[in-house]
């Protein structure tokens, strides 16, 4: 007998369809827009293993989300592939009734060793972060001495394994904006989808301000110098990227513009932090502790009802309400904790 799904919507009639699960708060990079090295230094204390949700707990939690309409899972971090046996988690989540899509966001370094096992386990797609092809600029962005060819090898391994690959590039004015055309050309020549992400004010530590944002309009103008593009219709309600196609090809380029062209009105995403807190917005100030709920002996029905209650009362639309003042005064969760 198939599972009964009771779709839940929030106060703005936005359904709950997508779940992002951070499984690790650690990362081997120190990207300036996420985990700046001056804050996340050698003495920074990350979560102990017992603080993280176990794979059993993650599977149990996700199974309650599916009853309320979640169809897509994205595994995030930190760097999720720093956690052992991620393929075993993928296998369990992809087997859950109602789940149609399991993806993973990564910096790509560990894909050379893990891509094939992840694909066999049921992973469908990877989003690989790559902010420059120039070695010096890439190292300035990632805060480590990692060279871009390490990420490119991971990308090749993912493609060879049969995973769908998208590249994510966060663009900061005056830092890597000169790399936009170069990376767009690289991806176009190889038929790889590239997504440009406007530099966002996530968390408290990345020193964000409006002047560092390269807008979707500016990025589109840069990309159009390579070849003409045409807009592509959205695939589904809640798709966050504005998608374009190089005319005469099937290769796409997208823009995630939470600053200049917000998409709060169709946001269908919930997020689980590595220690089991539920957040209803990337820019949330606080979460709901499901680790404590699970470990206190709550039943599946109690967990499901708690999720339903939280989502049905959701009113988040931070990007639409963002002002210079909220950027300065709002206490937001770090991206490395909540999972981008």
């Amino acid at each position: 007998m198939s599972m009964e799904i009771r779709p839940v919507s929030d106060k703005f009639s936005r359904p709950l369809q997508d779940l992002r699960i951070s499984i690790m708060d650690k990362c081997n990079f120190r990207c300036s827009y996420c985990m700046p090295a001056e804050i996340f230094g050698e003495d920074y204390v990350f979560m102990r293993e017992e603080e993280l949700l176990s794979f059993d707990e993650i599977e149990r939690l996700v199974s309650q989300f599916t009853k309320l309409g979640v169809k897509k899972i994205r595994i995030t971090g930190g760097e999720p592939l720093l956690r052992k046996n991620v393929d075993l988690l993928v296998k369990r989540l992809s087997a859950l009734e109602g789940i149609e899509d399991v993806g993973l966001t990564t910096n790509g370094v560990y894909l050379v060793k893990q891509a094939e096992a992840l694909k066999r386990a049921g992973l469908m797609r990877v989003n690989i972060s790559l902010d420059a092809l120039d070695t010096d600029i890439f190292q300035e962005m990632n805060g480590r001495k990692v060279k871009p060819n390490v990420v490119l090898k991971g990308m090749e391994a993912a493609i060879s394994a049969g995973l769908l690959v998208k590249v994510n590039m966060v663009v900061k004015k005056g830092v890597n904006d000169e790399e936009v055309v170069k990376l767009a050309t690289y991806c176009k020549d190889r038929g790889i989808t590239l997504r440009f992400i406007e530099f966002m004010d996530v968390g408290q530590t990345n020193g964000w301000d409006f002047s560092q944002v390269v807008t979707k309009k500016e990025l589109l103008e840069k990309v159009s110098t390579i070849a003409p593009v045409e807009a592509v219709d959205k695939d589904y309600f809640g798709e966050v990227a504005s998608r374009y196609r190089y005319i005469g090809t099937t290769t796409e380029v997208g823009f995630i513009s939470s600053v200049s062209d917000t998409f709060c009105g169709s946001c269908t995403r919930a997020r689980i932090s590595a220690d089991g807190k539920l957040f209803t917005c990337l820019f949330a100030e606080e979460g709901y502790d499901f680790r404590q709920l699970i470990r206190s002996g709550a039943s599946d029905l109690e967990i499901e009802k708690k999720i339903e209650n939280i989502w049905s009362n959701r009113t988040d639309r931070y990007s639409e309400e963002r002002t210079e003042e909220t950027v300065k005064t709002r206490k937001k969760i770090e991206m490395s904790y909540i999972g981008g």
Side-chain angles (χ1 to χ4, degrees), residues 166-195:
K166 290 176 185 169
V167 174
N168 290 344
M169 178 185 187
V170 174
V171 185
K172 288 179 72 174
K173 188 170 287 185
V175 181
N176 68 331
D177 46 337
E178 294 302 315
E179 289 286 288
V180 165
V181 171
K182 191 187 299 184
L183 188 56
T185 303
Y186 181 93
C187 290
K188 177 180 177 291
D189 290 347
R190 289 159 181 78
I192 298 169
T193 297
L194 174 61
R195 294 279 169 87

Side-chain angles (χ1 to χ4, degrees), residues 53 57 60-61 275-276 288-307 310:
L53 285 185
E57 290 169 333
R60 185 177 176 212
L61 192 51
D275 59 350
Y288 304 85
D289 192 346
F290 275 78
R291 184 188 67 189
Q292 193 276 332
L293 187 65
I294 290 170
R295 293 182 184 179
S296 68
S299 68
D300 286 352
L301 183 60
E302 286 173 313
I303 294 168
E304 181 189 345
K305 290 289 187 185
K306 182 70 172 176
I307 298 166
I310 290 166

Side-chain angles (χ1 to χ4, degrees), residues 24 42 72 74 88 91 101 111 139 143 152 155 159 162 183 191 194 256 258 287 317:
M24 171 65 71
E42 297 304 319
K72 295 180 65 175
R74 174 76 61 80
L88 301 183
K91 187 172 184 178
D101 189 295
L111 284 173
Q139 290 179 339
L152 296 176
M155 190 189 307
I159 292 169
L183 188 56
L194 174 61
I256 297 174
S258 86
R317 52 190 191 95

Side-chain angles (χ1 to χ4, degrees), residues 110-331:
Y110 299 103
L111 284 173
V112 170
K113 291 184 177 178
Q114 299 189 38
E116 287 190 5
L118 289 165
K119 172 65 176 174
R120 284 196 303 270
L123 191 70
M124 300 171 73
R125 63 186 72 243
V126 288
N127 285 51
I128 299 173
S129 301
L130 179 61
D131 297 323
L133 289 173
D134 178 89
T135 298
D136 291 339
I137 296 173
F138 184 59
Q139 290 179 339
E140 181 182 352
M141 290 291 284
N142 70 46
R144 293 290 192 247
K145 294 300 181 185
V146 182
K147 295 181 178 179
N149 70 303
V150 177
V151 178
L152 296 176
K153 285 179 181 174
M155 190 189 307
E156 290 166 9
I159 292 169
S160 296
L163 291 165
L164 294 171
V165 171
K166 290 176 185 169
V167 174
N168 290 344
M169 178 185 187
V170 174
V171 185
K172 288 179 72 174
K173 188 170 287 185
V175 181
N176 68 331
D177 46 337
E178 294 302 315
E179 289 286 288
V180 165
V181 171
K182 191 187 299 184
L183 188 56
T185 303
Y186 181 93
C187 290
K188 177 180 177 291
D189 290 347
R190 289 159 181 78
I192 298 169
T193 297
L194 174 61
R195 294 279 169 87
F196 293 106
I197 302 174
E198 289 180 344
F199 179 40
M200 294 181 288
D201 54 320
V202 181
Q204 305 293 110
T205 61
N206 71 4
W208 185 92
D209 67 61
F210 282 102
S211 67
Q212 295 172 299
V213 177
V214 183
T215 65
K216 170 192 166 184
K217 181 174 180 290
E218 294 171 284
L219 291 166
L220 183 56
E221 287 172 359
K222 285 176 180 280
V223 168
S224 298
T225 65
I226 302 168
V229 296
E230 58 187 356
V232 178
D233 291 337
K234 289 192 179 295
D235 271 344
Y236 55 90
F237 182 82
E239 185 173 29
V240 298
S242 299
R243 293 163 49 222
Y244 293 78
R245 181 190 300 119
Y246 294 104
I247 294 174
T249 76
T250 57
T251 303
E252 291 188 9
V253 60
F255 304 87
I256 297 174
S257 48
S258 86
V259 179
S260 71
D261 185 16
T262 67
F263 41 79
C264 294
S266 60
C267 179
T268 60
R269 292 178 175 179
R271 289 174 162 83
I272 302 290
S273 64
D275 59 350
K277 290 189 175 65
L278 168 61
F279 293 87
T280 54
C281 178
L282 179 59
F283 302 96
E285 293 186 86
E286 59 182 0
Y288 304 85
D289 192 346
F290 275 78
R291 184 188 67 189
Q292 193 276 332
L293 187 65
I294 290 170
R295 293 182 184 179
S296 68
S299 68
D300 286 352
L301 183 60
E302 286 173 313
I303 294 168
E304 181 189 345
K305 290 289 187 185
K306 182 70 172 176
I307 298 166
E308 182 178 26
N309 181 55
I310 290 166
W311 191 267
S312 63
N313 286 294
R314 175 188 188 235
T315 57
D316 301 287
R317 52 190 191 95
Y318 173 78
S319 289
E320 292 179 351
E321 300 170 327
R322 176 195 284 111
T323 65
E324 291 275 13
E325 195 57 32
T326 62
V327 169
K328 291 174 188 168
T329 59
R330 187 176 171 115
K331 185 178 182 297

